[in-house]
């Protein structure tokens, strides 16, 4: 399975590659052996509204005590307590609609490095593309929206301090996709939970992006719900579009490699592919195809208000880009995001694309509570009124990070230009809203955008960075991530090359000579200080 291979590669790399440094750093303060005589349920402090189901000594990844528990009605969690603890705590976020206990931080070797770590199912069971669990169940919606992660974090920290009889030195959170949205929700709504937070490809606007934008995309690509086999833009036209974009813009960063380092400088227009009068449409875009592409790239306004930004150019040819999220390939959904397991026994909804599944899931079950709601008939006339209640629970759009920053909190935002799940332009929009509200936030908030990377991982660009190491160093030593080194990984979990990932608005350009898989051959530039590649 792809997920198993992904986690194996991350685990190998975390144990043998760049994560070795964080292990050396974080293990400088190693606790004495746990004071608990055994890893057993009855040795832990009793907590109100928390039931510990099991505790067992495990050897996988690193020797640790695994604690399984339930908070409230049905919020399940798994807490892993390493035998050799570095004094720190990291929580890993979920993906999609979650539905199983997820801890994506494990992919960065956190247990091997001595962190106590926890994950949760956010209060329901099911497939991560299925939202039917939310139908007329406000408790589950609130748990999913924000409460389950917060309660799990608070519970885990009490159990950790109790187990080791020692105060936690720092608390960190990493999440991508839904986990990135959870990360922003924590910074905004529960600023005391974590000292350092990484929000990667954050799904933070569930009503506007996952609901409204995806409804628009679904209507554009699949206008008839009874004809879902072929999208308006079929594979041949998708190939035509992607090749045309690369032909015009691929070399703008000094290197023709199928990666746009900064799509914002590419002025490609879909209309340039429009069919001439009388053309049969074989090697050009029909009017319907041009319109459908516009729904992908253009910003989306409702009642004159920007609901959500469009997608950048450049991911048309990526297997995990357009093909998976927009035009087909989402029917086989054993996994759709790295590190996100599927609850045993849960069936994947049959959908023509992942956006189709998420858009309908949000609108049917989180907004309208109507399984028969029909995207093809939706007009957006009352969108903001209809989504207001759900937005208060689900959306992490507040740019006010004052309380989180006042306590010394650090927030790293990341996304990738090739992400067709969560638009990098939407993440940029949130980042800019934070800085527009308070320009001083740049001291505590950073945004890094990765070229050529699909959703959370994969794609032609280098995608691996140990984000836990990055945020740990920022919190501990004040070393802000102005530029990161991203790795390609081979099947053995070893680095297969590097390239810089730059702090926005900078982007990498090739200097004209040197190994194209060596970060030293690139420079981070902005439009203001851009250089010609052959100038070195």
């Amino acid at each position: 399975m792809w997920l198993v291979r992904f986690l194996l590669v991350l685990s190998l790399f975390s144990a043998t590659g760049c994560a070795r440094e964080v292990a050396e750093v974080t293990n400088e303060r190693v606790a004495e052996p746990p004071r608990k005589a055994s890893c057993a349920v009855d040795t832990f402090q009793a907590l109100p509204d928390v039931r510990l189901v099991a505790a067992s000594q495990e050897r996988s990844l690193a020797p640790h005590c695994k604690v399984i528990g339930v908070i409230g009605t049905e919020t399940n969690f798994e807490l892993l307590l390493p035998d050799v603890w570095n004094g720190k705590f990291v929580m890993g976020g979920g993906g999609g609609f979650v539905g199983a206990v997820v801890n994506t931080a494990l992919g960065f070797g956190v247990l091997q490095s001595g962190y106590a770590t926890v994950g949760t199912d956010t209060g329901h069971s099911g497939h991560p593309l299925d939202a039917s669990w939310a139908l007329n169940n406000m408790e589950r919606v609130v748990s999913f929206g924000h409460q389950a992660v917060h309660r799990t974090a608070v519970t885990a920290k009490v159990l950790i301090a109790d187990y080791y009889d020692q105060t936690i030195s720092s608390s960190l959170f990493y999440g991508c996709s839904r986990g990135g949205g959870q990360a922003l929700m924590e910074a905004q709504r529960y600023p005391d939970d974590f000292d350092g937070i990484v929000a990667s490809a954050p799904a933070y606007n569930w009503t506007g992006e996952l609901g409204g934008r995806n409804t628009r995309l679904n209507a554009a690509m699949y206008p008839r719900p009874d004809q879902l086999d072929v999208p308006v833009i079929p594979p041949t036209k998708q190939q035509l579009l992607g090749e045309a974009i690369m032909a015009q813009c691929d070399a703008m960063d000094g290197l023709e490699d199928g990666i746009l380092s900064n799509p914002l400088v590419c002025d490609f227009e879909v209309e340039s592919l429009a069919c001439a009068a009388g053309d049969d449409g074989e090697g050009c875009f029909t009017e319907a195809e041009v319109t459908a592409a516009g729904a992908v790239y253009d910003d989306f306004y409702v009642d004159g208000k920007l609901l959500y930004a469009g997608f950048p150019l450049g991911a048309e040819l990526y297997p995990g880009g357009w093909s998976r999220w927009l035009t087909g390939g989402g029917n086989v959904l054993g996994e759709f995001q790295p590190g996100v397991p599927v609850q045993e026994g849960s069936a994947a909804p049959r959908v023509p694309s992942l956006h189709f599944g998420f858009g309908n899931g949000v609108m049917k079950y989180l907004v309208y509570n109507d399984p028969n709601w029909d995207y093809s008939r939706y007009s957006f006339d009352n969108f903001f009124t209809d989504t207001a209640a759900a937005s208060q629970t689900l959306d992490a759009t507040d740019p006010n990070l004052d309380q989180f920053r006042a306590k010394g909190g650090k927030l790293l935002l990341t996304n990738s230009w090739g992400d067709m799940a969560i638009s990098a332009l939407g993440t940029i929009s949130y980042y800019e809203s934070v800085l527009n509200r308070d320009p001083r936030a740049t001291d505590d908030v950073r945004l890094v955008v990765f070229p050529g990377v699909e959703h959370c991982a994969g794609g032609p660009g280098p995608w691996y960075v140990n984000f836990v190491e990055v945020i740990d160093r920022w919190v501990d030593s004040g070393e802000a991530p102005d530029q990161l080194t991203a790795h390609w990984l081979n099947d053995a979990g070893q680095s297969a090359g590097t390239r810089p990932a730059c702090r926005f608005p900078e982007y990498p350009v090739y200097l004209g000579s040197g190994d194209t898989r060596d970060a030293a051959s690139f420079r981070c530039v902005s439009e203001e200080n851009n250089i010609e590649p052959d100038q070195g």
Side-chain angles (χ1 to χ4, degrees), residues 165-237:
D165 195 22
Q166 179 178 320
T167 303
I168 298 170
S169 62
S170 61
S171 297
L172 311 172
F173 186 97
Y174 166 80
C176 190
S177 192
R178 172 57 188 150
Q182 292 168 342
L184 290 184
M185 187 68 82
E186 281 291 308
Q188 296 167 20
R189 193 182 287 253
Y190 303 108
D192 293 326
D193 284 357
F194 297 100
D195 305 299
I197 292 174
V198 181
S200 292
Y204 69 92
N205 189 344
W206 281 78
T207 57
E209 179 186 20
L210 278 300
R213 184 206 64 191
N214 285 1
T215 294
R216 180 192 185 213
L217 291 175
N218 295 337
M221 287 293 176
Y222 304 96
R224 292 187 55 178
D226 60 341
Q227 294 182 2
L228 301 179
D229 292 341
V230 180
V232 168
I233 300 178
T236 54
K237 297 299 184 71

Side-chain angles (χ1 to χ4, degrees), residues 147-167:
Q147 185 170 264
V149 170
H150 168 61
R151 296 188 74 186
T152 299
V154 171
T155 299
K157 290 200 284 187
V158 172
L159 294 174
I160 291 167
D162 181 41
Y163 185 73
Y164 295 112
D165 195 22
Q166 179 178 320
T167 303

Side-chain angles (χ1 to χ4, degrees), residues 21 41 62 84 121 132 140 201 207 239 246-247 261 273 287 295 318 340 371 423 443:
E21 295 182 15
V41 167
V84 179
D121 65 359
S132 61
R140 287 181 174 177
T207 57
Q239 186 76 19
M246 287 299 163
S261 286
L273 299 177
E287 183 178 350
Y318 299 171
V340 178
S423 173
D443 295 336

Side-chain angles (χ1 to χ4, degrees), residues 10 53 55 72 91 106 158 185 200 219 224 240 267 287 293 310 324 331 333 406 430 491 508 527 529 533 536:
L10 282 190
V53 176
M91 182 171 184
L106 290 172
V158 172
M185 187 68 82
S200 292
R224 292 187 55 178
L240 173 66
D267 61 358
E287 183 178 350
R324 192 165 184 80
N331 279 322
L333 295 171
Y430 176 74
D491 289 343
E527 285 305 285
N529 69 353

